[in-house]
């Protein structure tokens, strides 16, 4: 009886543990993303340095284009110190 119980419960426990741990990981989001308006391609996203989100003096640019926090010219312009 004890042997049959372990043969049934142990694999079920292993499967439940594996499924539970698969959902326990935290997804990493990309926060250092800036957007610029390309004259031909429209809004394009690029990776930017974290200082661009906290600064206030020097505009963050990519190939001469002003970077924005969101793909909209009314959103925050990214600047660094």
């Amino acid at each position: 009886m004890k042997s049959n119980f372990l043969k049934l419960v142990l694999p079920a426990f292993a499967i439940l543990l594996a499924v539970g741990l698969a959902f326990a990981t935290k997804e990493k989001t990309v926060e250092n993303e800036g957007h610029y308006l390309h004259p031909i391609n429209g809004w394009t996203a690029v990776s930017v340095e974290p200082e661009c989100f906290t600064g206030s003096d020097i505009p963050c640019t990519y190939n001469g284009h002003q970077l924005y926090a969101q793909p909209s010219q009314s959103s925050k312009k990214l600047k660094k110190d």
Side-chain angles (χ1 to χ4, degrees):
M1 178 72 181
K2 191 175 189 181
S3 175
N4 289 337
F5 178 74
L6 287 177
K7 286 182 183 179
L8 180 64
V9 172
L10 200 54
F13 179 71
I15 291 171
L16 288 174
L17 184 64
V19 170
L21 290 176
F23 291 105
T25 59
K26 183 177 180 182
E27 183 178 327
K28 183 178 180 182
T29 59
V30 177
E31 294 180 13
N32 296 337
E33 189 174 76
H35 305 272
Y36 70 95
L37 183 58
H38 189 274
I40 297 171
N41 299 332
W43 286 103
T44 307
V46 293
S47 295
V48 297
E49 39 192 44
E51 293 82 22
C52 287
F53 290 93
T54 59
S56 61
D57 295 334
I58 304 168
C60 289
T61 59
Y62 181 79
N63 289 341
H65 301 286
Q66 171 67 48
L67 292 173
Y68 295 90
Q70 299 295 323
S72 168
Q73 288 182 327
S74 62
S75 71
K76 176 185 171 187
K77 289 183 179 181
L78 299 182
K79 296 181 180 182
K80 58 185 172 183
D81 290 330

